[in-house]
């Protein structure tokens, strides 16, 4: 470890920005908006520097920083990144500045509180991805909760209070059980070593787990508690019911971050902590989890077909898409896991883009119901083109990034159990159905009475709105054509994951 | 007794002198608020200094009945902080209602002196006398708004049940004295260890244990001995409620530490099941009832019952063999003091004008009406919920880690505590919903709390944020807990 503590810089730059904004006068919303955007962009640039400086073929964590925090319990401030967390950090910093830029127009009320919440949210999200101490991880995990609670509850839609309370209570039940599991894990380590030193340190715990030191029954309980927390966040069927409400009621940028990053926290937790620490339990529960994943994939797709609301449709399609991620994790093959991680990024980019696009229409129409739309291609040609692009990406068109991720999961799960792969391929047809049908109803045909009633207010996308979508579209194309950009980063971590998960397979 | 004993009890003497000085100043300048407040705060500062100057000592006074050790120091500092914060917050509430501050401060400081004596008790007789010194002024404070029938009603309920429970506790202490032949904590502990070693405990001791548990459970407001709390809390003037929710609670846990851990430690296998049941009932019922409350003061009262339950988990962890449970209790008590007093303080500020209720609808739009107060109340409520990195989170974490370490039934208790914490999020966040997500009923004027009030809020706010982030406080609690290591 040398030189600049770049991970801490990335994590806490948004906090500095939030503090700065807290002391700006709320009578100057434009200044606040610019400071927020500047902070998010600075964080993004820092994360790009991290990406450039990262050595892709090196195993283990890089840029590690560690300091004792609460020595009597061995709690450390310890951060580090491997390929997976690096990608997640990049996804977070990218989507955050895009979201902040996309909020310039829609958020006119209480701008200060909004921007502070957003930047604190970014601290929590980045922190979750870089933390290498379980306690620190938990703290960042919970920090994410509060700003999102406020963002949905204050700036959300009509039913926002119900949605935000549901979101908080679901997440909190899971995360508090996770806290118990984390403590029990640390205590098992402490009991074996006779000292608290390193009891929350992920690397030491992983070595401890690799030596088969967690008893089987203990693993089952601890894994279940962790799994519940992560499964609620992903969200896996049947823990998904908070998601359509939260996504629908959140302001546009909130939906983008919810879908783009928050759902990834759960999947990341499974990949990083739950499986490597408790491989025996992971294998024991693999089948039920795979079945739940397939149910989520199919169910999410079917329910999407009948959704009358644009945001709700995208929300349910998230359940389906995230099902591929959990499926990819729990079949324990290298291509499937690579696909799962790629799918996490794709879903962040594509669904983030879709929510932004729905937000653009909502800004003009204050309505999201598919039935009232129609013929948007005639009035908003640029918007319709971009929307079509993201729809095709979401449906998994080859050449765009969505295809690669799902394809890898198919390949990986086919070697595991062909039936699962076949079942999930059918869903691609369903996905094309609900996405294209929705696109057809919204964009084509005669301009609906509702839309023509809006007259001049229905302008095409503005330049700022296009600027928020262009980088996402570019990334989708680039990753679709050169998935190796991401996959190269994943070789090491995927091998590490499989080795950790393989312990129980062999023994 | 010899003269050096007076040095050992210097903090208590300083506290008594402070209370007396406040009365004298009020006598010299009747009705003037500033001198009384200044005297009280300056006196409390002196008390704090004497406590700090004696910290690290370990000695006894008055024939071994008063013990000065790290535990005494920790609890004494906490009591002084409680008194100082209460006085800082009280002024803004008492002045518009024409209630005198000097009597208030003097009674309060007497009560806190009782708490400090409880913390230092190494003798069951002193423990009881100190307890009475702590709670009697509390009854007066509860009825401080003597023209308000609710205040009087709450005070009478508090007084009747409080003196009843004191009697029960005393009855239990008498049994212990009868069986062990001593009231000295260490002698009692040694005798009881003997009893345990020679076989089962006789019925008299079991009855004594039952009486003492009941008495202390009353003082802590543990379910099912909590009935006095909501009325006493809701009826009292809000600053008094703030005090009652922390002062006597910390005092009751000080009794638990000196009595149950110190004297009855050898019997811990016998009282462990009772504490587990009490903890489970207390946190669950406290939370369930708090969910249904529409009055913020009453909600905080019931939630304070729930917090008693969490603290009891720490006591259960101790009885289950984890000494770290005691440090967790102390840490929890201190963290709870700051966040809960802060929450009550904001309620006080909202109710500054006489006649303003503490219904949850009063808090609608507070975030817009007064951004700082709103943000602070949100902070305190989030901390009470247990959201990291705030004080309340660390408090819960330490209790939970001790319980999990103890294992067995206590792991189940830890899981129950966490589920309760999730349920508690509902009613704490409901207030945040009102503050930020609803508009005020009418155009309400911004609140303008006074300078003293703002100082108090700043202290509680800062403490709530930094409490867990720096390990020093946890280490201090650990050192205090080490005193009780047998």
């Amino acid at each position: 470890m040398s030189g600049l503590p770049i991970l801490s810089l990335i994590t806490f730059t948004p906090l500095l920005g939030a503090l700065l904004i807290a002391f700006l006068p709320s009578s100057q919303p434009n200044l606040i908006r610019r400071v927020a955007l500047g902070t998010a962009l600075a964080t993004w640039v820092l994360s790009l520097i991290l990406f450039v400086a990262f050595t892709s073929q090196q195993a283990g964590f890089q840029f590690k920083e560690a300091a004792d925090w609460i020595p009597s319990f061995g709690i450390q401030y310890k951060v580090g990144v491997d390929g997976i967390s690096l990608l997640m950090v990049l996804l977070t910093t990218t989507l955050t500045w895009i979201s902040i830029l996309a909020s310039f127009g829609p958020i006119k009320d209480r701008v200060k509180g909004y921007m502070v919440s957003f930047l604190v949210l970014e601290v929590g999200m980045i922190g979750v991805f870089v933390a290498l101490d379980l306690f620190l991880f938990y703290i960042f995990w919970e920090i994410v909760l509060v700003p999102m609670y406020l963002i949905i509850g204050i700036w959300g839609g009509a039913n926002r209070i119900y949605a935000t309370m549901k979101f908080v209570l679901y997440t909190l039940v899971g995360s508090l059980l996770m806290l118990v599991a984390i403590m029990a894990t640390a205590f098992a380590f402490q009991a074996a070593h006779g000292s608290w030193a390193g009891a929350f340190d992920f690397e030491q715990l992983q070595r401890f787990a690799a030596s088969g030191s967690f008893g089987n029954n203990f693993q089952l309980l601890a894994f279940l508690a962790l799994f519940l927390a992560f499964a609620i966040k992903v969200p896996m069927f049947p823990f998904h019911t908070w998601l359509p409400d939260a996504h629908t009621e959140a302001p546009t940028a909130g939906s983008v971050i919810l879908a783009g990053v928050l759902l990834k926290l759960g999947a990341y937790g499974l990949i990083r902590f739950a499986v490597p620490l408790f491989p025996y339990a992971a294998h024991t529960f693999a089948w039920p989890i795979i079945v739940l994943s397939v149910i989520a994939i199919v169910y999410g797709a079917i329910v999407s077909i009948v959704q009358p609301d644009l945001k709700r449709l995208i929300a349910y399609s998230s359940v389906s898409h995230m099902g591929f991620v959990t499926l990819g994790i729990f079949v324990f093959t290298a291509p499937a896991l690579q696909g799962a991680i790629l799918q996490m990024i794709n879903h962040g980019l594509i669904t983030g883009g879709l929510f932004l696009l729905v937000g653009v229409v909502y800004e003009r129409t204050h309505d999201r119901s598919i039935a009232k739309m129609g013929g948007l291609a005639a009035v908003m040609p640029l918007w319709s083109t971009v929307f079509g692009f993201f729809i095709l990406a979401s449906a998994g068109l080859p050449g765009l990034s969505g295809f690669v991720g799902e394809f890898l999961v198919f390949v990986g799960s086919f070697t595991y159990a062909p039936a699962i792969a076949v079942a999930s391929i059918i869903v691609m047809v369903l996905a094309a159905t609900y996405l294209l049908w929705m696109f057809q109803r919204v964009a084509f045909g005669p301009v609906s009475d509702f839309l023509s009633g809006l007259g001049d207010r229905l302008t095409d996308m503005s330049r700022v709105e296009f600027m928020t979508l262009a980088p996402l579209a570019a990334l989708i194309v680039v990753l679709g054509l050169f998935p190796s950009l991401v996959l190269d980063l994943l070789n090491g971590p995927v091998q590490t994951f499989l080795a950790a998960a393989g312990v129980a397979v062999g023994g | 007794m010899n003269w050096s004993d007076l040095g050992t009890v210097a903090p208590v003497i300083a506290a008594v002198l402070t209370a007396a000085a406040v009365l004298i100043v009020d006598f010299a300048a009747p009705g003037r608020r500033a001198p009384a407040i200044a005297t009280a705060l300056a006196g409390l500062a002196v008390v704090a200094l004497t406590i700090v100057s004696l910290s690290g000592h370990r000695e006894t006074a008055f024939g071994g009945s008063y013990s000065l050790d790290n535990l005494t120091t920790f609890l004494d500092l906490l009591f002084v902080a409680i008194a100082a914060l209460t006085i800082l917050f009280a002024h803004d509430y008492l002045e518009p209602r024409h209630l005198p501050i000097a009597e208030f401060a003097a009674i309060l400081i007497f009560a806190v002196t009782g708490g400090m004596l409880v913390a230092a008790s190494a003798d069951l007789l002193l423990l009881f006398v100190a307890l009475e010194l702590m709670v009697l002024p509390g009854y007066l404070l509860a009825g401080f708004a003597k023209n308000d029938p609710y205040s009087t009603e709450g005070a009478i309920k508090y007084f009747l049940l409080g003196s009843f429970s004191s009697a029960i506790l005393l009855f239990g202490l008498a049994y212990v004295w009868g069986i062990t032949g001593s009231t000295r904590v260490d002698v009692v502990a040694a005798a009881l260890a003997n009893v345990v070693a020679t076989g089962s405990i006789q019925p008299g001791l079991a009855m004594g244990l039952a009486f003492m548990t009941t008495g202390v459970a009353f003082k802590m407001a543990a379910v099912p001995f909590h009935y006095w709390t909501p009325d006493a809390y809701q009826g009292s003037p809000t600053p008094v409620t703030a005090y009652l929710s922390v002062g006597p609670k910390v005092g009751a846990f000080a009794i638990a530490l000196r009595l149950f851990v110190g004297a009855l430690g050898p019997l811990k296998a016998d009282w462990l099941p009772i504490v587990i049941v009490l903890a489970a009932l207390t946190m669950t019922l406290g939370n369930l009832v708090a969910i249904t409350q529409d009055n913020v003061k009453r909600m905080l009262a019931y939630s304070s019952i729930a917090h008693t339950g969490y603290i009891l988990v720490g006591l259960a962890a101790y009885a289950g063999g984890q000494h770290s449970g005691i440090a967790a209790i102390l840490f929890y008590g201190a963290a709870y003091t700051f966040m809960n007093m802060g929450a009550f303080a904001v309620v006080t500020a909202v109710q500054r004008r006489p006649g303003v209720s503490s219904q949850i609808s009063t808090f609608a739009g507070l975030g817009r009406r007064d951004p700082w107060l709103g943000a602070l109340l949100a902070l305190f409520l989030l901390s009470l919920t247990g959201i990291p990195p705030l004080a309340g989170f660390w408090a819960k974490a330490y209790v939970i880690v001790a319980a999990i370490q103890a294992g067995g039934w206590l792991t189940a208790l830890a899981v129950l505590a966490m589920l309760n914490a999730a349920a508690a999020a509902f009613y704490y966040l409901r207030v945040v919903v009102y503050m930020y997500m609803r508009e005020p009923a009418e155009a309400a004027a911004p609140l303008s709390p006074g300078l003293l009030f703002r100082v108090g809020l700043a202290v509680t706010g800062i403490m709530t944020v930094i409490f867990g982030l720096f390990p020093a406080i946890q280490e201090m609690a650990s050192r205090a807990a080490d005193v009780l290591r047998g």
Side-chain angles (χ1 to χ4, degrees), chain B residues 117-399:
Chain B
L117 269 177
V118 168
S121 296
D123 187 290
L124 298 183
L125 216 50
L126 176 65
L127 187 79
F128 182 77
V129 174
L131 169 70
E132 288 305 292
L133 177 56
M134 177 175 77
V135 294
L136 280 172
Y139 308 141
L140 293 180
L141 288 176
F144 202 70
K146 55 178 184 273
N147 292 325
D148 176 359
Y150 289 108
S151 179
T152 312
E153 181 196 335
I156 288 176
K157 280 185 183 165
Y158 185 27
F159 171 70
L160 286 177
L161 285 171
S163 32
F164 185 59
S165 63
S166 293
I168 292 177
L169 175 66
L170 187 60
F171 202 48
L173 293 178
Y175 271 98
V176 172
W177 172 76
I179 280 162
T180 61
S182 173
T183 56
R184 194 58 44 79
V185 164
D186 47 350
V187 181
V188 169
L192 290 178
N194 239 341
V195 171
V196 173
T198 55
S200 62
I201 59 171
Q202 53 273 66
L205 193 53
M207 280 182 60
L209 195 58
F211 282 127
M212 285 183 293
T213 313
T214 310
V216 174
F218 258 115
K219 301 286 176 207
M220 288 174 181
V223 176
F225 307 107
H226 65 286
Y227 285 104
W228 57 273
T229 340
D231 289 326
Y233 282 15
Q234 195 185 2
S236 301
T238 310
V240 175
T241 316
Y243 163 74
L244 288 180
S245 71
V246 292
K249 193 182 294 290
V250 174
F253 276 95
I255 300 175
L257 293 181
R258 289 294 184 192
L259 178 63
F260 279 78
V261 177
L264 306 176
L267 300 180
K268 64 187 177 193
D270 295 295
W271 52 261
L272 169 64
I274 309 175
V275 175
I276 291 184
V277 172
L278 278 180
L281 280 179
T282 306
M283 57 196 180
T284 310
L285 200 97
N287 271 327
L288 288 182
V289 184
I291 288 177
T292 64
Q293 301 303 317
D294 278 329
N295 182 306
V296 174
K297 242 166 112 176
R298 218 171 157 84
M299 180 276 278
L300 285 173
Y302 275 106
S303 92
S304 131
I305 295 174
H307 284 278
T308 301
Y310 303 138
I311 306 180
L312 279 171
V313 175
L315 190 62
Y318 160 77
Q322 283 306 324
H323 199 81
S324 59
I326 300 200
I329 293 175
L330 292 170
F331 188 92
Y332 205 117
Y336 182 70
T337 297
F338 290 104
M339 58 194 183
N340 202 47
M341 291 208 74
F344 270 114
V346 180
V347 179
T348 312
V350 172
Q351 291 190 289
R352 186 176 181 187
R353 268 186 309 127
V356 177
S357 81
S358 52
Q359 284 302 112
I360 192 165
S361 52
T362 316
F363 291 79
L366 183 66
R368 209 183 269 274
R369 201 170 147 201
D370 194 322
W372 276 104
L373 276 184
L376 278 168
L377 183 54
L379 178 85
F380 297 131
L381 292 172
L382 289 173
S383 178
L384 286 165
T385 311
I387 302 286
L390 305 173
F393 161 70
W394 296 92
K396 283 206 181 75
Y398 289 132
V399 169

Side-chain angles (χ1 to χ4, degrees), chain A residues 262-433:
Chain A
L262 257 61
L263 305 191
K264 310 305 174 302
L265 299 180
Y268 175 81
L270 288 171
I271 298 173
R272 171 69 74 234
F273 298 109
V275 176
L277 288 181
F278 309 113
Y280 167 77
H283 281 276
T284 310
F285 291 121
W287 260 110
I289 295 174
I290 288 171
V291 170
L292 287 179
S293 305
V294 174
I295 293 179
I297 294 172
V298 178
Y299 166 85
I302 293 177
V303 177
S304 296
I305 298 178
V306 298
Q307 291 308 312
D309 179 299
L310 281 171
K311 265 185 150 181
R312 253 187 134 73
L313 187 146
I314 303 172
Y316 273 108
S317 82
S318 288
V319 175
S320 178
H321 283 130
M322 289 307 287
F324 281 107
V325 175
T326 46
L327 174 66
I329 297 172
F330 280 90
V331 296
F332 302 114
T333 61
L337 182 63
Q338 286 182 330
I341 297 165
L342 197 57
Q343 175 78 356
M344 284 160 73
I345 296 159
N346 294 335
H347 179 261
L349 301 174
I350 297 171
T351 311
L354 285 174
F355 275 124
L356 286 173
L357 284 155
V358 173
V360 169
V361 170
Y362 183 75
E363 262 311 286
R364 290 154 176 75
T365 60
H366 296 284
D367 207 294
R368 291 185 306 256
S369 59
I370 299 173
K372 288 191 183 172
M373 306 287 162
L376 272 174
V379 255
M380 299 173 72
L382 177 60
W383 179 86
S384 303
T385 314
V386 181
F387 194 51
F389 172 84
F390 277 91
I391 291 277
L392 291 176
S394 184
L397 186 77
L400 301 179
S401 68
F403 173 74
V404 190
E406 290 181 9
F407 181 73
L408 282 171
V409 176
F410 295 148
V411 172
S413 47
F414 196 84
T415 56
Y416 187 82
I420 301 168
V422 172
S424 346
I425 282 180
I426 296 171
V427 172
M428 281 194 90
V429 181
L430 285 176
T433 312

Side-chain angles (χ1 to χ4, degrees), chain A residues 22-23 69-73 75 109-110 135 138-140 142-143 145-146 149-150 152-154 160-161 164-165 168-169 172-173 176-177 179-181 183-184 187 190 196 200, chain B residues 322 324 368 372 382 385-389 393-394 397-398 400-401 404-405 414-415 418-419 421-423 425-426 429-430 432-433 435-439 468-471 474-475:
Chain A
F23 288 100
W69 187 8
I70 301 184
S72 49
F73 285 100
I75 295 170
D109 186 33
R110 300 198 235 186
F135 206 80
Y138 178 79
I139 289 179
F140 281 124
E142 291 286 63
I143 286 178
L145 191 59
V146 179
Y149 158 73
L150 295 174
I152 302 175
I154 300 179
R160 59 187 191 273
I161 292 173
T164 199
M165 285 306 264
V168 167
L169 293 178
L172 209 56
V173 168
L176 287 169
L177 289 176
L179 178 64
V180 174
M183 300 241 176
F187 174 63
Q190 187 261 359
W196 279 103
F200 288 94
Chain B
Q322 283 306 324
S324 59
R368 209 183 269 274
W372 276 104
L382 289 173
T385 311
I387 302 286
F393 161 70
W394 296 92
Y398 289 132
I400 296 301
V401 80
I404 290 175
Q405 234 177 322
V415 171
M418 288 294 90
L419 292 176
F426 177 77
L429 293 185
R430 211 165 80 116
V432 180
V433 164
M435 283 196 306
Y436 284 98
M437 304 170 198
R438 286 179 203 262
E439 298 306 316
L469 297 180
F470 298 100
Q474 198 272 333
E475 278 159 18

Side-chain angles (χ1 to χ4, degrees), chain A residues 196-235:
Chain A
W196 279 103
F200 288 94
D201 183 332
F202 172 66
E203 288 181 297
Q204 294 204 36
L205 284 169
Q206 196 170 16
R207 276 196 290 279
F208 187 68
S211 63
S213 306
F214 290 117
N216 286 353
N217 286 334
F218 175 82
Q219 285 202 26
L220 294 178
L221 288 174
F223 178 84
L224 267 187
L226 284 184
F227 173 75
L228 191 65
F230 297 141
I232 289 174
K233 205 83 165 184
V234 165

